[in-house]
Every structure is written in structure tokens, then in C-alpha cells.
Amino acid sequence: MDYLEGLNPEQRGAVLQTKGPVMIIAGAGSGKTRVITYRVAHLIRQGVDSFNILVLTFTNKAAREMRERITHVVGPEAKNLWMGTFHSVFAKILRVEAEKIGYPNNFTIYDTDDTKSVIRAILKEMNLDDKLYSANLVYSRISSAKNNLISWQEYQNNPQIQADDFSTGRGQLGKIYETYAGRCFRAGAMDFDDLLFKTNELLREFPDVLHKYQHKFKYLMVDEYQDTNFSQYLIVKKLAALNENLCVVGDDAQSIYAFRGANIQNILNFEKDYPDLKVFKLEQNYRSTQNIVNVANSIISNNKEQLKKNVFSTKEDGDKIKIMRSFSDNEEGKMVAEGILQDRATKGMKWNDFAILYRTNAQSRSMEEALRKLNIPYKIYGGLSFYQRKEIKDLVAYFRLTFNPNDEEALKRVINYPKRGIGDTTVDRIILAADQHGITPFEVVVNPGQFMDGRTSASVGNFGTMIQSFQVIAKNLSAYDAALHIAQHSGLLKDLYEDKSVEGLNRYENIQELLNGIKEFSEREDIEDKGLDVFMQDIALLTNDDNDKNKDADTVSLMTIHSSKGLEFKQVNVVGLEENLFPSQMSLNSRSDLEEERRLFYVAVTRAETKLTISYATSRFKFGTLISCEPSRFLDEIDAKFLELDFTAKKESTGNPFYEDDRKAWTRKDNTKEDSFSKPKPSSAPIKTTSILAKAHVPSAGFAPSDTSNLQNGMEVEHERFGYGKVINLEGKSPDIKATIFFKEIGQKQLLLKFAKLRIVS
């Protein structure tokens, strides 16, 4: 029981409570992974057969980490656990049971690109307007339906759904869904959503299968329960119905995936499903300083829908949270980059101690430019993954076709790569012949003489023969040897080798890296079945965290806040805290959407260990137009006693000679703080953040531009967006006179008078 010694009382209680329904509410940085792993280890130590324990996660990384920790406590018995992502565990079950619902056990798993490719082909066949029926929209609609367990039949028979579709001019969505489902079934393929949708179908339609797995999985644990959707919720509920030894772990304050179908009500209403529930709250944060925790608490306290908890840290108070204001997004990037450079030099830190988090990917541009100018190495997360590269997908398509010759998408991808004289017209004829005769395209390929003649028939037939030879090879060779044989004899490896361009060399090296990965897989000792088909399933189910081949590089991390969940960094910069950006404009239509945005901000804040910096810009380009920005309402919700306001950047960058004189004239009249350009003076009185943060200028009543032909230095003016300022320099000749104006809210700015629209105040 030595593994219990390092647990705090609440963690220990959660580990020891092994019977009945349990909910562990795990605040950010509260050691939930330790609790889950020790709870599983404790079950095994108490005599529970590891084969009877199911642990569901949302990433393979989390599953690997947990299994390693459990192995450290209980030894090799941990290998027998059913542990992995929802999709990987249920894909494993479907491999055994798929024939009951009409699928082959060697079904292909379509990724998002495959799915959209099938949809695009269907849209083309139906001659539908791609402005109304984009592949992205159709994919999203079908995915949403499946996650809510709506089949194509139910979709077409639901009056409300049909009315909604027809009202938007998209009345064919039901037919597209039907065709797509049929196309996947014919190809022996399931997409990601099908892995859950078909598992629900299996458990619903076959009571004997449900009975089998209810008795097998006597203990269930679900990590990140707040991220489950309706489909996942129903599977878990069915599997746990017999024994009710169900433990869910999560944090409602970190529920940020509603756009993927996650339903926060699953965790908020968990007690309604299990009235005799035991609840444990992990409230001690081991990651962050007390000031960071306090800021996070003050943010999330504004949400109405939440499970109350009091997160605290026993670490030192740490630095106050710095709020930085900049005039533009480019200046924001400059301030962030300079801060990182300075902290690294003065504190002896590494680049990978720093992260920059933003609401949207588009915000990375200004950050990248600023980092490049200072030669700061960085990496953007969420880009093209290794397994999404064309050359990798090409070779993988050969593997897929080898194990499932009915895979139409794989067939279309490689039948003429490398080139074999089989053009698009021939491929269309193959697909058409298959449709007309009720057979698969591959059956046409291996019997080309019945459907075409001449040289084309020979080329198609040779391709079919080659794939059939790969099928024999794959049964008799190891995963690596089979993969190498296919890469060589398909002609793909030779084609890439002969491309001597830099890009060609990179593609060839990527193929070698894939083969190296398969070699490593073949030599693993923790798995019994090491066939190429098993490797194929593994890479088909990879989550984003598994695709990074250079995780330990010493670079600053740039990513969206959604991508940062589950990560932690010594210092974090959260940028772009502006209304309509964060919170997103799309979230302002309902309280639930706004509360999810606030939870997203909470996630961003709690990624930081020792220092947190939050920044916003007062202007930003949007669709090519410079717009004024207002600080985010979320900043107003932070208790100001935890903040350090750094609005001094303009003083240094403007070099304005009269700054010191005018600073006094523009100092705010209340004595609790100075002007917007300087840090607040210490005060025992509470400071309202709202009064400190710069708001968008509201033009004076009846604002109208003045005649500026006689404008002179020293005049005070008002700009519709930039507010009040003083003219400090005029240069050029009419009509191209430029005025340098020092605005009291944003600092110095140069304007072309003929476009400036200034009102002369005095």
C-alpha cells in the first residue's frame, strides 16, 4: 500500500472507493492522472482481474502514461488492462463483433480526409451546388447526426430536421447521408464517428453482445468525462448498468469541446443517473502559483452552470498576472517576444518553458513575425501531422487496399500512382461498372476483361494482380518486411527516390521514417499481434498528441487554447483578449456559449506554472480593415488585486518629447491609480479592472470632422476611433500633409490629414 503514502486525503479517498458509482471532480493541476492510475493499481492489488477493468481516455498519450505508472506499481499484469481512447477500445470490440452488423472484421477506418473525399465524390455525382453543399458542411452535419445516434433513416424521417434543411435550401442532405452510409458499407469502411455509432448499434441490437461485455468489464473508469458526447455517454451507461462500478473523472470548468459534440450536462447531471453516487473533489493545485490559481477561480466563478469547488495552491503567491495593452496586433507580438527573450536571459530558462496561446489560428501570424525578428525558435502545434502528408497517405493506402480490397478510397488514390496509364476516365468506368453490376470496384479490377478491353484492361489487370500478391505476402511476412515489400514493388519508393528535388528528398525520407516506425512496432514486446494490419489500426486511431515527432525540441510553443488542454508550461502568454475575439463573437448569442468561452479562458490560465501574461490590442486588422478593439469582458472579471497592469510600452516606443508634461495633464482624477500609461500605485482600496482597461473611444455627441487646413502644432483634436490627442508635428505639403498626433489612450500615431477626419477641440 506504499503507493497511497503520497496522496492527500481526498485523493486517497477516491482511490480506496472502488465499489459503486464514483465521481472525481479534478481541478486543474490536481493530480488526477495519479489518482486514476493508483485507483486501477489498487483494484488489481485487491484481487480484481485486470482483464475485467476498462479505462477510457481521450488521447493515446494519456493511456500510455497511465499504463506505465500502473506497471510500475503492479508489474506486467497492467498489460492485460483494457485501456485506451474511446475509439481505439471500441474499434477493438468491433474487430471481433463487426460481422454481426454486416461489416468485415478487417474494415478500414476512414480519417477525416477520406470521409470528405467520399462526400465530394457524392456531391459531384448529384450535381449539387458546392456553395450550398460544401464537403465541410456536409461532413459536419453527418458527424453531428451520428454523435446524436441519428441514422440516415431517422434523419430523413424527422420532420424538424427536414424542415430545417429545406428552409436553408439544403433539402438533399438526407439523401447525401444515405448515399454516404451506403458507400462506406460497400467499401467495408467506418469513419471515426461510426466507431461509436456502430458500437451503440451493436449493443442495442444484440443483447447477447451487451451481456458479454457487461460481464467482462466489471469496473469502468472514464477520464475527461466532461468531454463525452451523447454517443459515448450511452455506451458507458449501458456497459456499467450491470455492476455500476463506474468511476468518472473530470472537471466541468474545463469542458471546452461543445463544437465537437461534447455535452457538459453529462457531468453536471451525473448524480441524477446514480443517486447513491460518492463524490470526491480534488481541489489542491500542484501546478500553479497561488496568484494564478486565484485568477482562475475569479474567472470561473462567473459561470452559473458549474460544480462548485475551491481550488487552492500551497505554492508561493508568485508574480502577479501581468496585463499588457498594445496599439496593434503586431505590437502585441513584439511585446510578447521581447518579454520571452528577456525572461529566458535573466532567469536561465529554456525556450520550451514558454507558450503563446491564442483563440484562433489566424492570430499566430503576428506572433510568428515577432519571434522570427528576434531569432526565437518556435513551433506551431496543430499543423500538418506526419500521417497526413501525401507520400505517407499514399503508402498507407496500399496497405489499406492489401487488407481490405473493397476500400474504394484507397483504390482511387493509388491505382494510377505511380503512373500506370490508368486515367480518371478509366477509374470512372470502373466505379460505374461496379455500381451497375452490384459488385465492388476491386472485383472489376481483378476481372478487367469483362468490363474493358485493350491496353487499359491489361494495366488495370496488372494492378489487381499486384494487390493480390501483396495480400499473400502480408500473411506470411512480419509487418516491417511486408511494408518494405509493398513500398518497393508498388513502385512508390522508386518514384520518390528518383525525385532529386529538396521536396522529393524530404518525401523519400518521410517514407523511410514510416518504415522505421513499422520496424520499431515489429520489435515491441508489449503486444502479441504485430501484423501490419494491427499497425494500420494503430495509426488510423492516432490522436493529435501522437503525431508530433519532435515533442522535446527546445522551441517556444504556439497553439490555440483548445490544443493546449492537458499541457503545462512554466510561463504562458495568452494573447488577443478582446471582445468578439475572446470571447468569440459567435459565443455572444447564448449564455451557454459564453460560459464555454469562459471555461476556455480558464483552461488557458491554468496552463501556467509560475508566470502568466495576458495581452490585448486596441486595434487589429480584420479582413484587410483596421478595426478598433475593446478589451475582453473576461478581464473585467479578474480581481484586480492579483494583477499588474503594464501599459508603459508606448512611452518607450514613441520617444515623445512632451510625454512627461502631458502625462500629468491626462492623469485620471481619482487617486487610486495613475493614467493608462503607467502601472497602478499601491492602494488599499479595491481597484475595479473596468476603470483601468482602455475601452473603445466613444465619439462626443454630434461628432463632425473639422476643416484641418489651418491645423497647427499644439492643437488638441478628437479622432472618431483613437480619442483625444495633441498635434506634435506636421510635415509635407497639401494635400498630402501628415500629422503626428499623441493620443492619450494609444500613444503616438501618424495620420494623413485628408483621410484622418479630425475634430479640432482647441
Side-chain angles (χ1 to χ4, degrees):
M1 302 283 283
D2 55 332
Y3 53 88
L4 299 176
E5 293 178 2
L7 302 177
N8 65 41
E10 200 72 8
Q11 291 175 329
R12 180 188 289 258
V15 168
L16 296 178
Q17 182 63 48
T18 58
K19 291 291 186 179
V22 174
M23 179 164 66
I24 302 172
I25 303 171
S30 62
K32 74 176 178 67
T33 301
R34 175 188 292 186
V35 171
I36 295 172
T37 53
Y38 285 1
R39 191 173 189 274
V40 174
H42 185 66
L43 283 169
I44 296 173
R45 283 281 187 92
Q46 296 302 303
V48 176
D49 192 330
S50 56
F51 282 101
N52 297 139
I53 301 173
L54 170 62
V55 183
L56 296 170
T57 68
F58 274 84
T59 67
N60 292 306
K61 176 184 175 183
R64 282 196 305 272
E65 182 180 345
M66 290 178 194
R67 193 184 295 274
E68 288 171 3
R69 292 195 190 186
I70 296 167
T71 301
H72 183 70
V73 178
V74 302
E77 186 68 18
K79 293 181 180 180
N80 302 326
L81 290 166
W82 278 65
M83 175 180 282
T85 64
F86 278 87
H87 293 88
S88 65
V89 167
F90 298 129
K92 185 176 178 180
I93 291 174
L94 286 168
R95 291 289 179 199
V96 177
E97 313 289 351
E99 290 182 349
K100 290 183 173 64
I101 54 175
Y103 279 81
N105 296 125
N106 63 340
F107 60 84
T108 295
I109 300 173
Y110 279 172
D111 63 16
T112 303
D113 286 345
D114 297 322
T115 297
K116 291 181 180 178
S117 177
V118 176
I119 289 171
R120 277 190 287 268
I122 293 169
L123 297 177
K124 183 178 179 181
E125 293 167 11
M126 295 177 67
N127 294 314
L128 293 173
D129 183 353
D130 58 7
K131 293 180 180 178
L132 276 176
Y133 296 93
S134 70
N136 286 337
L137 181 144
V138 175
Y139 166 75
S140 176
R141 191 75 172 186
I142 293 174
S143 176
S144 178
K146 288 182 179 180
N147 284 328
N148 286 285
L149 302 183
I150 300 172
S151 66
W152 66 262
Q153 295 95 333
E154 292 167 318
Y155 190 102
Q156 293 182 355
N157 292 327
N158 187 302
Q160 184 60 55
I161 293 176
Q162 292 303 300
D164 289 344
D165 286 351
F166 277 100
S167 69
T168 59
R170 299 187 179 96
Q172 294 298 309
L173 281 170
K175 182 63 178 176
I176 298 169
Y177 185 6
E178 176 186 1
T179 307
Y180 171 75
R183 197 70 55 88
C184 289
F185 185 77
R186 184 181 73 180
M190 296 186 195
D191 61 28
F192 282 159
D193 297 315
D194 279 328
L195 296 176
L196 303 179
F197 184 85
K198 297 298 180 184
T199 299
N200 268 295
E201 179 183 333
L202 185 68
L203 300 180
R204 182 182 65 245
E205 301 297 330
F206 297 90
D208 58 319
V209 175
L210 175 60
H211 182 267
K212 171 183 174 182
Y213 289 101
Q214 283 178 335
H215 281 78
K216 179 174 182 58
F217 302 131
K218 296 177 181 178
Y219 293 85
L220 280 76
M221 290 192 69
V222 183
D223 189 19
E224 304 286 7
Y225 190 68
Q226 77 279 350
D227 293 333
T228 54
N229 59 30
F230 178 65
S231 183
Q232 291 161 329
Y233 160 80
L234 210 56
I235 293 172
V236 169
K237 189 175 182 181
K238 286 179 178 178
L239 291 177
L242 180 65
N243 299 295
E244 289 201 346
N245 293 324
L246 171 62
C247 175
V248 301
V249 186
D251 182 7
D252 58 295
Q254 298 186 67
S255 178
I256 60 173
Y257 294 119
F259 68 97
R260 294 183 188 169
N263 186 354
I264 192 175
Q265 299 303 321
N266 290 349
I267 192 168
L268 294 179
N269 296 327
F270 190 68
E271 192 168 2
K272 293 181 179 179
D273 288 336
Y274 304 95
D276 55 344
L277 177 70
K278 295 285 193 303
V279 178
F280 297 89
K281 295 183 179 181
L282 309 184
E283 297 175 310
Q284 182 174 350
N285 183 305
Y286 292 91
R287 174 189 302 155
S288 307
T289 61
Q290 186 62 53
N291 273 329
I292 293 172
V293 171
N294 287 339
V295 166
N297 287 341
S298 66
I299 291 165
I300 205 64
S301 66
N302 290 275
N303 272 7
K304 291 185 180 297
E305 283 201 312
Q306 61 172 300
L307 299 169
K308 293 291 184 180
K309 56 185 177 295
N310 180 33
V311 179
F312 65 94
S313 173
T314 56
K315 290 189 172 185
E316 70 280 358
D317 288 346
D319 294 340
K320 288 191 174 185
I321 282 59
K322 182 182 287 188
I323 306 291
M324 297 196 306
R325 183 189 67 189
S326 61
F327 166 66
S328 67
D329 50 351
N330 285 334
E331 186 188 50
E332 181 185 37
K334 179 175 179 287
M335 293 168 68
V336 169
E338 288 175 347
I340 290 173
L341 191 67
Q342 181 178 356
D343 280 349
R344 180 178 181 271
T346 58
K347 298 179 181 179
M349 303 173 72
K350 296 187 292 186
W351 294 121
N352 58 17
D353 289 330
F354 300 89
I356 302 174
L357 309 182
Y358 34 77
R359 179 64 180 83
T360 66
N361 278 307
Q363 292 170 257
S364 71
R365 179 199 58 79
S366 57
M367 297 297 132
E368 287 187 77
E369 289 180 3
L371 294 171
R372 281 201 299 268
K373 286 177 182 177
L374 295 179
N375 293 318
I376 296 176
Y378 67 89
K379 176 182 173 68
I380 294 183
Y381 286 74
L384 186 67
S385 77
F386 179 78
Y387 289 102
Q388 293 300 313
R389 300 178 188 278
K390 178 186 181 301
E391 61 275 12
I392 300 300
K393 289 182 72 71
D394 287 338
L395 182 52
V396 168
Y398 273 109
F399 297 163
R400 281 168 43 179
L401 201 57
T402 297
F403 291 100
N404 178 15
N406 295 336
D407 187 339
E408 186 175 317
E409 287 305 300
L411 176 71
K412 289 191 293 185
R413 186 176 188 97
V414 297
I415 191 170
N416 197 40
Y417 177 71
K419 292 190 178 298
R420 301 183 174 87
I422 305 174
D424 291 343
T425 301
T426 301
V427 173
D428 289 342
R429 287 173 60 191
I430 292 171
I431 303 299
L432 180 62
D435 288 340
Q436 290 176 339
H437 292 82
I439 57 178
T440 67
F442 191 73
E443 289 177 281
V444 176
V445 168
V446 294
N447 297 286
Q450 300 178 25
F451 306 98
M452 58 194 77
D453 50 30
R455 185 183 304 171
T456 301
S457 174
S459 298
V460 171
N462 289 337
F463 175 77
T465 301
M466 179 182 69
I467 297 300
Q468 288 176 320
S469 73
F470 292 166
Q471 292 171 333
V472 175
I473 289 292
K475 291 179 181 178
N476 299 303
L477 296 180
S478 69
Y480 173 75
D481 290 335
L484 181 61
H485 178 92
I486 293 171
Q488 291 173 334
H489 289 80
S490 63
L492 184 147
L493 207 57
K494 180 175 180 289
D495 185 73
L496 293 177
Y497 180 77
E498 291 176 348
D499 183 352
K500 300 302 181 182
S501 66
V502 174
E503 294 79 7
L505 178 61
N506 286 337
R507 288 191 287 266
Y508 182 79
E509 290 177 346
N510 285 337
I511 291 295
Q512 293 297 335
E513 179 62 24
L514 175 63
L515 294 172
N516 291 340
I518 299 173
K519 180 71 170 177
E520 183 180 345
F521 169 83
S522 300
E523 296 173 354
R524 282 174 56 180
E525 296 181 357
D526 59 330
I527 54 175
E528 294 181 7
D529 192 346
K530 302 176 184 178
L532 184 57
D533 56 334
V534 179
F535 176 83
M536 290 293 302
Q537 176 174 312
D538 282 355
I539 65 171
L541 294 167
L542 288 177
T543 52
N544 290 338
D545 64 290
D546 302 291
N547 290 325
D548 182 13
K549 294 296 180 181
N550 195 21
K551 296 177 183 177
D552 299 322
D554 191 17
T555 57
V556 175
S557 299
L558 276 68
M559 67 187 76
T560 64
I561 301 169
H562 282 101
S563 300
S564 75
K565 188 166 178 291
L567 303 178
E568 56 188 46
F569 303 90
K570 283 187 168 55
Q571 296 195 188
V572 170
N573 289 269
V574 186
V575 301
L577 260 292
E578 298 140 31
E579 281 293 294
N580 299 322
L581 179 57
F582 198 11
S584 162
Q585 188 172 11
M586 298 295 289
S587 72
L588 303 180
N589 298 322
S590 71
R591 177 176 296 279
S592 62
D593 289 343
L594 181 60
E595 292 202 349
E596 172 135 338
E597 287 288 293
R598 189 175 286 112
R599 293 194 295 269
L600 189 61
F601 187 31
Y602 176 88
V603 166
V605 166
T606 54
R607 299 311 94 198
E609 297 178 12
T610 60
K611 183 177 179 181
L612 172 67
T613 302
I614 300 171
S615 60
Y616 69 95
T618 58
S619 64
R620 186 179 295 271
F621 275 97
K622 187 174 183 179
F623 303 119
T625 302
L626 186 67
I627 62 169
S628 269
C629 303
E630 181 180 348
S632 169
R633 68 188 67 193
F634 295 154
L635 294 176
D636 295 342
E637 297 172 354
I638 303 175
D639 191 329
K641 67 184 178 184
F642 305 125
L643 301 180
E644 171 192 335
L645 303 179
D646 184 1
F647 293 163
T648 61
K650 279 298 170 186
K651 176 181 177 181
E652 298 170 0
S653 62
T654 61
N656 181 30
F658 69 92
Y659 175 85
E660 287 300 326
D661 294 332
D662 283 15
R663 182 178 67 82
K664 296 174 182 177
W666 289 343
T667 298
R668 298 180 189 272
K669 293 182 179 179
D670 60 288
N671 295 321
T672 59
K673 47 209 165 288
E674 288 189 13
D675 64 289
S676 296
F677 297 105
S678 59
K679 298 177 183 178
K681 292 178 179 177
S683 170
S684 58
I687 300 173
K688 290 290 185 183
T689 313
T690 308
S691 64
I692 298 173
L693 299 176
K695 299 289 185 182
H697 175 67
V698 178
S700 57
F703 177 90
S706 304
D707 178 5
T708 56
S709 58
N710 294 317
L711 192 68
Q712 298 178 18
N713 288 346
M715 283 187 171
E716 291 190 9
V717 296
E718 180 187 11
H719 187 276
E720 194 171 17
R721 187 164 69 243
F722 304 140
Y724 293 97
K726 181 178 285 188
V727 180
I728 60 174
N729 188 45
L730 295 167
E731 61 182 74
K733 296 181 179 180
S734 181
D736 298 318
I737 298 175
K738 294 179 180 178
T740 302
I741 303 172
F742 193 80
F743 292 99
K744 58 184 177 181
E745 290 298 332
I746 64 170
Q748 183 173 301
K749 187 167 178 60
Q750 192 175 66
L751 304 173
L752 199 59
L753 277 186
K754 63 182 178 181
F755 297 125
K757 297 181 179 180
L758 299 171
R759 182 179 77 85
I760 298 176
V761 178
S762 64

